[in-house]
C-alpha cells in the first residue's frame, strides 16, 4: 500500500525545537518532491515547505522561513521538517504529501495522516 | 502570493441534491488547480486535479471545470459520505495557496 506516515509531533515550548519525520512505504520516495502542509485547530490548510527529489531545491512559506528546515534522507525513504524557535502560531496538525506531476501540472496525491504540534509554555 | 477565494463558505444540502461550489484565483493560473475533500480529524484527499481530471477511485458524480481565474467543483447526487469540507488549491506558483474551504453540511 502506498502511504506516508508522519511522526515526531508533540508539545514544545516557544523557542525550543522539534523534528517531524515523514516516512514513505509502498513507493520510492526519492522519485518525488515532498511538501509539508499545516492546519491550525479549526482552520484551513496552509502550505509550509517543499523539497525536490534530491534535496537541491527547497522553498518555504514566509511565516516559517529562517526557523524551519526541510530535508530528506532518500536511503531511509524519509523527509524531515526541523522546527526551531517555534511560536504559538505554529500550533497545528502537520501533514506531509507527495507531489505528483503530469506534464507541467503538479498535485498532492498521497497524504500522511498528520502529526500534531502544540507550542506552549 | 496568489489568493484563492471559495464560495460559499458553507452550504446545506440533502442526499441526492446536486451542489456546485466556486473557487476564484487573484490572478490567472491556467489549469493549475486542484480540489481536496477533508473530513474532521482526517487528512485531505485529492478529488480533482488539473482543474477537471477526476482522481482514480473518486466517484464520477464529482466533476471540476474552469481555467484562468474561475473554477467550479460540482457534486451531482450527493451521497452521505460526501458531507465534508472541500478546498481548492493552486499549484501555479510558490507559495502554493489554498482556499478557505467550503463546508458541505446535511440539511
Amino acid at each position: 500500500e502506498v502511504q506516508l506516515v508522519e511522526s515526531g509531533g508533540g508539545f514544545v515550548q516557544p523557542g525550543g525545537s522539534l523534528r517531524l519525520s515523514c516516512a514513505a512505504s509502498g513507493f520510492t520516495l526519492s522519485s518525488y518532491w515532498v511538501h509539508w502542509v499545516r492546519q491550525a485547530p479549526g482552520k484551513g490548510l496552509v502550505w509550509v515547505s517543499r523539497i525536490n527529489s534530491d534535496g537541491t531545491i527547497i522553498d518555504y512559506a514566509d511565516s516559517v522561513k529562517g526557523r524551519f528546515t526541510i530535508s530528506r534522507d532518500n536511503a531511509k525513504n524519509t523527509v524531515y521538517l526541523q522546527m526551531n524557535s517555534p511560536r504559538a502560531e505554529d500550533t497545528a496538525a502537520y501533514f506531509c504529501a507527495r507531489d505528483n506531476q503530469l506534464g507541467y501540472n503538479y498535485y498532492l496525491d498521497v497524504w500522511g495522516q498528520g502529526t500534531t504540534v502544540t507550542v506552549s509554555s | 502570493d496568489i489568493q484563492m477565494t471559495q464560495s460559499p463558505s458553507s452550504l446545506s444540502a440533502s442526499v441526492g441534491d446536486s451542489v456546485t461550489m466556486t473557487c476564484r484565483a487573484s490572478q490567472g493560473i491556467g489549469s493549475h488547480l486542484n480540489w481536496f475533500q477533508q473530513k474532521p480529524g482526517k487528512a485531505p484527499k485529492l478529488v480533482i486535479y488539473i482543474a477537471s481530471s477526476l482522481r482514480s477511485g473518486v466517484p464520477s458524480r464529482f466533476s471540476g471545470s474552469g481555467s484562468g481565474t474561475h473554477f467550479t467543483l460540482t457534486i451531482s447526487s450527493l451521497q452521505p459520505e460526501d458531507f465534508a469540507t472541500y478546498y481548492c488549491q493552486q499549484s501555479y506558483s510558490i507559495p502554493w495557496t489554498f482556499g478557505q474551504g467550503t463546508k458541505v453540511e446535511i440539511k
Side-chain angles (χ1 to χ4, degrees):
Chain A
E1 181 188 4
V2 170
Q3 64 177 352
L4 294 170
V5 178
E6 301 95 338
S7 61
F11 285 87
V12 60
Q13 292 187 335
S17 64
L18 200 65
R19 189 177 79 161
L20 308 183
S21 299
C22 169
S25 61
F27 69 101
T28 303
L29 191 63
S30 60
S31 299
Y32 295 89
W33 294 52
V34 175
H35 297 243
W36 286 94
V37 174
R38 69 184 181 183
Q39 186 170 38
K43 302 298 184 180
L45 301 168
V46 177
W47 179 84
V48 174
S49 181
R50 73 169 180 179
I51 186 168
N52 74 332
S53 55
D54 64 4
T56 57
I57 300 175
I58 287 173
D59 293 292
Y60 298 100
D62 286 346
S63 59
V64 306
K65 199 173 295 182
R67 300 186 299 118
F68 291 9
T69 301
I70 191 171
S71 62
R72 66 191 302 156
D73 184 339
N74 286 336
K76 295 184 178 179
N77 234 19
T78 301
V79 170
Y80 304 98
L81 186 68
Q82 178 71 40
M83 304 173 61
N84 293 334
S85 301
R87 306 164 180 165
E89 54 266 34
D90 295 321
T91 294
Y94 284 75
F95 300 96
C96 62
R98 185 179 81 171
D99 182 345
N100 212 334
Q101 176 183 358
L102 184 63
Y104 291 103
N105 294 284
Y106 305 90
Y107 47 95
L108 302 176
D109 67 338
V110 177
W111 293 64
Q113 84 289 352
T115 188
T116 300
V117 173
T118 302
V119 183
S120 175
S121 55
Chain B
D1 298 2
I2 298 174
Q3 183 175 357
M4 307 301 292
T5 303
Q6 290 184 243
S7 61
S9 56
S10 66
L11 63 90
S12 295
S14 301
V15 172
D17 286 351
S18 176
V19 299
T20 296
M21 60 196 77
T22 297
C23 176
R24 292 186 183 273
S26 61
Q27 67 183 73
I29 59 171
S31 296
H32 298 270
L33 190 283
N34 308 305
W35 289 95
F36 298 91
Q37 176 194 70
Q38 187 181 34
K39 297 181 179 179
K42 300 295 186 181
K45 290 184 177 180
L46 180 68
V47 176
I48 298 286
Y49 61 103
I50 316 176
S52 60
S53 296
L54 187 66
R55 203 249 173 114
S56 176
V58 173
S60 59
R61 61 181 178 270
F62 288 86
S63 64
S65 66
S67 68
T69 62
H70 184 224
F71 303 86
T72 61
L73 174 69
T74 298
I75 311 172
S76 63
S77 189
L78 267 175
Q79 297 302 300
E81 60 268 30
D82 300 335
F83 292 94
T85 299
Y86 293 85
Y87 294 93
C88 63
Q89 173 258 324
Q90 65 81 17
S91 56
Y92 179 79
S93 67
I94 290 293
W96 287 10
T97 45
F98 292 83
Q100 80 280 14
T102 292
K103 187 175 183 179
V104 178
E105 300 175 299
I106 301 174
K107 183 183 286 184

